[in-house]
Amino acid sequence: MVEWTEQERSIINNIFSNLDYDDIGPKALARCLIVYPWTQRYFASFGNLYNADAIKTNPNIAAHGTKVLHGLDRAVKNLDNIKATYAELSVLHSEKLHVDPDNFKLLADCLTIVIAAKLGNAFNPEVQATFQKFLAVVVSALGRQYH
Amino acid sequence: MLYRASRAALICPVPPSRMGVTCGGRLNLSRGNLQSPSDSGRETEREADMSLTDKDKAAVKALWAKISKSADAIGAEALGRLVTVYPQTKTYFAHWPDLSASSPSVKNHGKKIMGGVTLAVAKIDDLTNGLLDLSELHAFKLRVDPANFKLLSHCLLVVIAAMFPNDFTPEAHVSMDKFLCNLALGLSERYR
């Protein structure tokens, strides 16, 4: 059972309530596909991923990035029950999408960097620690139902 | 050779499909290591290391030119984040009175570390040899677990993104990430 302090809850809610999901989601996913190109294996049907510019302007990737961020939103709204909240999503990623769970960490790292770029100094060490704790819990929950 | 690949995997992200090739293909232990060590070793190293292309080196140097004036601040910030986000890293600094991100000891040491990164940029064409002295320091004196290099690399990238959001494009990011991976490998060269 993950324990969250009041400060951690406030930090997480603050970050997400000030986030433009349509901007940050696409940026994080595109960055993941560019920085860790093997992750493109899951997006073979998404169209042109031939180079960084193609990835950055690909509308299917952008839409999916937004979708991923809305998925994170579910965790934000259920901080005390992330494992149960993500049980179905975990099964989906394992049974249907066949995503290697190591990739979740790669996307999480890219999201951290995109948020750091957006928030600048406001993304101080304590905020970073809290955000990464949140993402670690999410990543763990998403990998939970793999067998 | 297997050692080199597994060391690389410890330090850098290994693409799942490549892990299959390195372990099941060239390093098939059931056949006994029949390939000539120099050839398969180099190829295995290239696969596991994801070595720097000319494009990567150019990207790293271009980014460095923009950020190097702030090297001290970047180092201080990165180390401060390391000990805050990954508290287990504080074990290496138990002799400092103040381990908060803002402490003078942390800031000074961050500066020193960035000196090492600056050196690595200058030696980018031959990191293994260029970092031999530093590797010996880390291996025999400091004995920092190489897994921590990955953590500090991540913190460096976060700080660069926060301070230089417009310059830290995805293209610059991938080259910088590869560079830091190769730097970490160079640092761990002398460990065993």
Side-chain angles (χ1 to χ4, degrees):
Chain A
M1 176 64 193
V2 185
E3 301 284 336
W4 302 99
T5 63
E6 281 312 310
Q7 196 196 15
E8 285 171 336
R9 289 173 199 272
S10 156
I11 286 173
I12 294 165
N13 278 300
N14 237 334
I15 292 177
F16 278 85
S17 58
N18 290 314
L19 220 52
D20 179 357
Y21 288 25
D22 293 322
D23 176 48
I24 297 295
K27 279 186 176 148
L29 184 57
R31 192 169 281 253
C32 186
L33 296 177
I34 293 166
V35 177
Y36 308 110
W38 54 92
T39 56
Q40 292 169 27
R41 75 193 304 274
Y42 302 109
F43 300 96
S45 63
F46 276 52
N48 186 3
L49 299 179
Y50 192 60
N51 54 37
D53 284 327
I55 293 171
K56 284 192 252 188
T57 53
N58 184 313
N60 295 323
I61 294 295
H64 198 74
T66 307
K67 193 188 225 178
V68 166
L69 222 51
H70 281 291
L72 278 179
D73 197 61
R74 270 203 256 171
V76 176
K77 299 200 159 45
N78 291 283
L79 279 179
D80 291 311
N81 210 0
I82 293 180
K83 195 162 65 176
T85 305
Y86 273 16
E88 265 184 51
L89 269 175
S90 179
V91 171
L92 173 79
H93 283 76
S94 158
E95 307 285 309
K96 184 152 179 272
L97 304 175
H98 305 295
V99 179
D100 182 328
D102 280 349
N103 291 291
F104 302 147
K105 174 115 194 352
L106 302 181
L107 180 57
D109 283 349
C110 285
L111 182 58
T112 302
I113 284 177
V114 168
I115 301 258
K118 176 174 184 277
L119 299 180
N121 281 329
F123 195 65
N124 64 41
E126 284 72 28
V127 171
Q128 182 185 345
T130 302
F131 190 64
Q132 289 198 206
K133 175 180 170 180
F134 167 72
L135 288 179
V137 173
V138 164
V139 163
S140 164
L142 263 183
R144 196 74 179 68
Q145 305 301 326
Y146 280 64
H147 62 93
Chain B
M1 299 309 124
L2 174 61
Y3 147 68
R4 175 108 187 164
S6 58
R7 181 160 67 91
L10 193 68
I11 291 168
C12 317
V14 178
S17 52
R18 281 198 174 161
M19 208 134 83
V21 172
T22 13
C23 296
R26 289 185 179 81
L27 295 179
N28 191 337
L29 292 180
S30 64
R31 287 174 51 215
N33 250 328
L34 294 179
Q35 287 100 348
S36 113
S38 52
D39 287 339
S40 65
R42 263 204 304 282
E43 280 184 49
T44 310
E45 276 177 33
R46 266 205 295 282
E47 282 211 11
D49 293 4
M50 298 183 238
S51 24
L52 299 173
T53 62
D54 288 339
K55 191 171 159 209
D56 288 321
K57 292 180 193 177
V60 169
K61 288 180 191 169
L63 181 64
W64 196 253
K66 296 189 178 129
I67 71 178
S68 57
K69 288 185 303 310
S70 310
D72 288 354
I74 293 173
E77 260 296 305
L79 191 61
R81 280 164 197 276
L82 181 73
V83 296
T84 309
V85 180
Y86 308 103
Q88 70 272 21
T89 57
K90 288 194 278 194
T91 52
Y92 291 99
F93 307 111
H95 51 285
W96 288 345
D98 179 1
L99 277 167
S100 63
S102 49
S103 95
S105 327
V106 169
K107 285 188 173 166
N108 276 327
H109 199 70
K111 272 163 61 172
K112 200 187 241 176
I113 292 178
M114 275 314 264
V117 178
T118 308
L119 171 74
V121 175
K123 304 278 184 183
I124 200 168
D125 288 313
D126 187 0
L127 280 173
T128 311
N129 282 314
L131 293 174
L132 269 178
D133 285 344
L134 275 175
S135 181
E136 296 209 352
L137 174 73
H138 284 76
F140 300 119
K141 187 156 177 263
L142 303 177
R143 300 213 170 122
V144 177
D145 190 318
N148 293 295
F149 299 152
K150 187 166 49 178
L151 305 182
L152 180 58
S153 295
H154 174 70
C155 290
L156 277 166
L157 295 176
V158 169
V159 171
I160 295 173
M163 289 173 69
F164 302 93
N166 294 324
D167 295 309
F168 199 56
T169 61
E171 294 90 323
H173 179 170
V174 59
S175 296
M176 196 66 195
D177 191 36
K178 285 175 73 177
F179 167 67
L180 291 174
C181 279
N182 280 277
L183 199 173
L185 273 171
L187 263 187
S188 57
E189 178 71 23
R190 302 301 253 166
Y191 268 65
R192 55 177 174 169

